[in-house]
Amino acid sequence: MKVDYIIVGCGLAGISFCEQLLANNKTFVVFDNNSQQSSTVAGGLYNPVTLKRFTPVWQSKKQLALAIPMYNSIEKRLNVKLDYKVSVRKRFTSLEEQNNWFAKSDQEGLSDYMSLNIYKNENKSITSQYNFGEVLETGRIDTSLLISEYKKQLKNKGQLFCESIDYNVIQFNNNSISYKDILTTHIVFAEGFGLKQNPFFNSLPLQGSKGELITIKAPELKLDFVLKSSVFIIPLGGSIYRIGSTYDHTDKTNAITSQAREELLTKLKTLINCDFEVINQVAGIRPTVKDRRPLVGTHPKYKNLHVLNGLGTRGVMIGPYAAQQLYNHIEQNSTLDKDLDIARFNL
């Protein structure tokens, strides 16, 4: 088999790069061993404002301009619903925070996204003395459905290998790479936290942050927007809500924990006062980097090997932008955005 690219990993990063290849009529296959769950268990929100400090998300306008059309294109091709337009509202904890919202809403990078309306709390199941501020141009991508349906299509086309890649079998030719019976020009590693096992890129400072979420059923809650406070509450329809997320920088397993469950429940009970039932809990390791920017670029020695990783907590938004950056860098020798170029670290 001869293809232009081998992609390792079929999470948000891998899928974003597949879309670049499809748009440019490149041939490819994907290897995925299903070991990384961060994309599958993600909340899936796209939100251009960091609500902890009311600051703009890095390159948010460029990211949204690429991400939304990409997901809409995938929806049409796979005939599934992925993009849910849902508003995100920040629960104010004081009048001072409310005033800070108004002060920040005039700033560049925030004025297009922070509504000047204050929304009063009219939901008896929610505890909120100081009401809500609303972020515009937000929504949720069903990442679990995206990945499962995307893999299904790749498998049907003979483009998906459900197995680990053996780094020792990679053979470098003059201008190509041989891997078993596949001849390719480029390999893109989009392995998430699995990059720690990759001998070509494992010296990059991928830290990893474990996140856990619970899913609840709360018939009385009747919430039709994403509520962000000490945790977020995401409506999934049918009285089902996703609650998250925790951050653990030491545990690097995908196992759910009672500690995370209790942490989420304790915080949730300060926000809602209705009955609910926990129906699920999931965990995954986010591929995070110390400077909160992706890891994108080409190996300094092996020019046919590339990395697309470190999407962190905002993979839904940043994945398409980082993928386009890498594709243009490989195919057109364009300069990478310096904030995501792996050249900022020693490899």
Side-chain angles (χ1 to χ4, degrees):
M1 180 188 297
K2 186 176 182 180
V3 293
D4 296 316
Y5 284 82
I6 291 175
I7 301 171
V8 184
C10 198
L12 291 171
I15 287 173
S16 296
F17 199 79
C18 286
E19 289 300 295
Q20 287 291 318
L21 299 181
L22 287 170
N24 290 280
N25 298 312
K26 299 293 184 180
T27 56
F28 64 92
V29 293
V30 178
F31 283 78
D32 187 271
N33 63 7
N34 206 35
S35 65
Q36 302 304 310
Q37 301 181 31
S38 62
S39 294
T40 305
V41 305
L45 293 179
Y46 53 91
N47 165 22
V49 179
T50 301
L51 290 174
K52 193 171 184 179
R53 302 177 184 85
F54 302 157
T55 55
V57 170
W58 175 75
Q59 299 284 26
S60 57
K61 193 173 287 290
K62 290 181 179 180
Q63 290 181 30
L64 287 173
L66 289 170
I68 304 308
M70 187 193 87
Y71 294 119
N72 292 343
S73 174
I74 296 174
E75 280 185 324
K76 292 176 183 176
R77 193 168 69 248
L78 301 185
N79 194 28
V80 292
K81 176 69 173 174
L82 300 173
D83 185 5
Y84 293 85
K85 304 299 182 185
V86 57
S87 64
V88 174
R89 293 184 182 177
K90 163 68 176 175
R91 173 181 176 263
F92 296 129
T93 57
S94 66
L95 287 174
E96 182 183 4
E97 190 174 44
Q98 199 177 98
N99 291 334
N100 190 29
W101 174 277
F102 282 115
K104 290 292 187 75
S105 65
D106 282 337
Q107 295 183 6
E108 184 178 355
L110 293 173
S111 58
D112 291 339
Y113 304 122
M114 294 174 69
S115 171
L116 296 178
N117 296 324
I118 293 297
Y119 290 83
K120 292 184 178 180
N121 178 32
E122 299 177 345
N123 190 324
K124 295 179 180 179
S125 296
I126 297 173
T127 305
S128 178
Q129 181 179 353
Y130 298 101
N131 303 311
F132 314 115
E134 184 174 73
V135 185
L136 308 176
E137 297 191 37
T138 60
R140 176 180 69 88
I141 300 298
D142 188 336
T143 55
S144 180
L145 183 63
L146 165 66
I147 292 169
S148 64
E149 290 298 309
Y150 209 94
K151 285 183 177 180
K152 190 182 299 181
Q153 186 189 60
L154 289 175
K155 193 170 185 178
N156 289 341
K157 292 185 174 182
Q159 291 176 281
L160 179 64
F161 294 87
C162 299
E163 60 188 74
S164 300
I165 197 160
D166 186 344
Y167 306 108
N168 296 318
V169 178
I170 297 173
Q171 295 183 339
F172 298 94
N173 310 318
N174 289 331
N175 294 306
S176 63
I177 293 174
S178 299
Y179 181 75
K180 297 183 178 178
D181 62 348
I182 303 173
L183 185 66
T184 188
T185 308
H186 301 281
I187 299 181
V188 173
F189 293 104
E191 304 158 288
F193 193 65
L195 191 74
K196 300 297 288 185
Q197 310 303 320
N198 185 319
F200 302 105
F201 292 103
N202 61 7
S203 63
L204 290 171
L206 189 70
Q207 297 172 321
S209 169
K210 182 174 182 176
E212 297 191 51
L213 305 94
I214 58 173
T215 304
I216 66 169
K217 185 172 185 178
E220 298 173 24
L221 184 52
K222 302 186 186 312
L223 185 67
D224 61 357
F225 56 87
V226 174
L227 178 59
K228 178 66 176 74
S229 185
S230 54
V231 291
F232 58 69
I233 304 175
I234 305 176
L236 302 180
S239 300
I240 306 299
Y241 302 87
R242 182 169 292 148
I243 316 298
S245 173
T246 61
Y247 292 84
D248 187 334
H249 299 290
T250 56
D251 183 359
K252 306 300 184 184
T253 72
N254 289 323
I256 61 173
T257 65
S258 58
Q259 294 95 322
R261 178 187 173 108
E262 289 306 311
E263 178 186 337
L264 292 171
L265 289 176
T266 298
K267 292 178 178 178
L268 177 63
K269 289 173 183 177
T270 67
L271 300 179
I272 67 174
N273 53 45
C274 60
D275 292 333
F276 63 87
E277 173 192 4
V278 178
I279 59 176
N280 194 26
Q281 182 176 350
V282 293
I285 310 299
R286 307 178 190 89
T288 52
V289 186
K290 62 181 181 180
D291 64 359
R292 300 185 180 183
R293 296 289 181 265
L295 299 171
V296 181
T298 297
H299 196 283
K301 178 180 178 182
Y302 303 106
K303 301 301 183 182
N304 301 76
L305 299 185
H306 318 276
V307 64
L308 178 61
N309 210 310
L311 302 188
T313 59
R314 299 182 182 275
V316 159
M317 274 182 65
I318 204 168
Y321 176 73
Q324 185 188 69
Q325 284 276 314
L326 181 59
Y327 180 82
N328 291 341
H329 174 66
I330 296 170
E331 294 291 338
Q332 301 169 17
N333 200 31
S334 63
T335 303
L336 288 166
D337 186 318
K338 61 180 176 57
D339 288 326
L340 48 72
D341 191 342
I342 58 172
R344 70 190 191 276
F345 301 115
N346 293 321
L347 185 60

